[in-house]
Amino acid sequence: MKRLIFLIAAVLIATVQLYSQWVQQPSPTFSHLNSIFILNQNTLFVAGDSGVILKTSNSGGNWIKSRQSTFHWHLNGIWFQNENTGIAVGGVDSYPR
């Protein structure tokens, strides 16, 4: 019985500690974000609606608009070779969001 109580307590403590690792960060856009690409430990890119591409170089601490296209395509996937060269794919939605 003591072993079962200890096991349940250990699982509860581990679960609480796992959730505490996530911290919500503010976004510099109101667009829906659809895709993420992790280039390295510090540099991440996200892409979303209206052609928005966001970049962070400090593991998500701050985000900047890396590129904003002149078209209103919804970007659904991105891939980057390095911090300056990447590919984004998407299209125009036929339904309103």
Side-chain angles (χ1 to χ4, degrees):
M1 184 66 171
K2 287 181 184 181
R3 188 177 263 177
L4 178 62
I5 292 172
F6 176 76
L7 180 62
I8 291 171
V11 168
L12 289 174
I13 290 170
T15 303
V16 169
Q17 288 179 351
L18 286 174
Y19 285 112
S20 66
Q21 294 175 4
W22 290 92
V23 178
Q24 185 174 356
Q25 298 293 329
S27 172
T29 183
F30 292 106
S31 297
H32 288 97
L33 301 174
N34 304 318
S35 181
I36 185 169
F37 183 82
I38 301 171
L39 183 63
N40 57 44
Q41 181 178 352
N42 297 316
T43 307
L44 295 87
F45 295 89
V46 294
D49 293 354
S50 300
V52 68
I53 298 177
L54 305 175
K55 175 186 175 184
T56 181
S57 56
N58 61 359
S59 301
N62 297 15
W63 291 90
I64 59 169
K65 285 187 179 180
S66 176
R67 297 282 184 264
Q68 177 84 33
S69 64
T70 57
F71 51 84
H72 294 284
W73 288 12
H74 302 299
L75 300 178
N76 297 317
I78 53 172
W79 177 87
F80 279 81
Q81 179 178 349
N82 56 47
E83 289 194 31
N84 300 311
T85 306
I87 298 171
V89 296
V92 179
D93 281 344
S94 60
Y95 60 90
R97 287 195 174 224

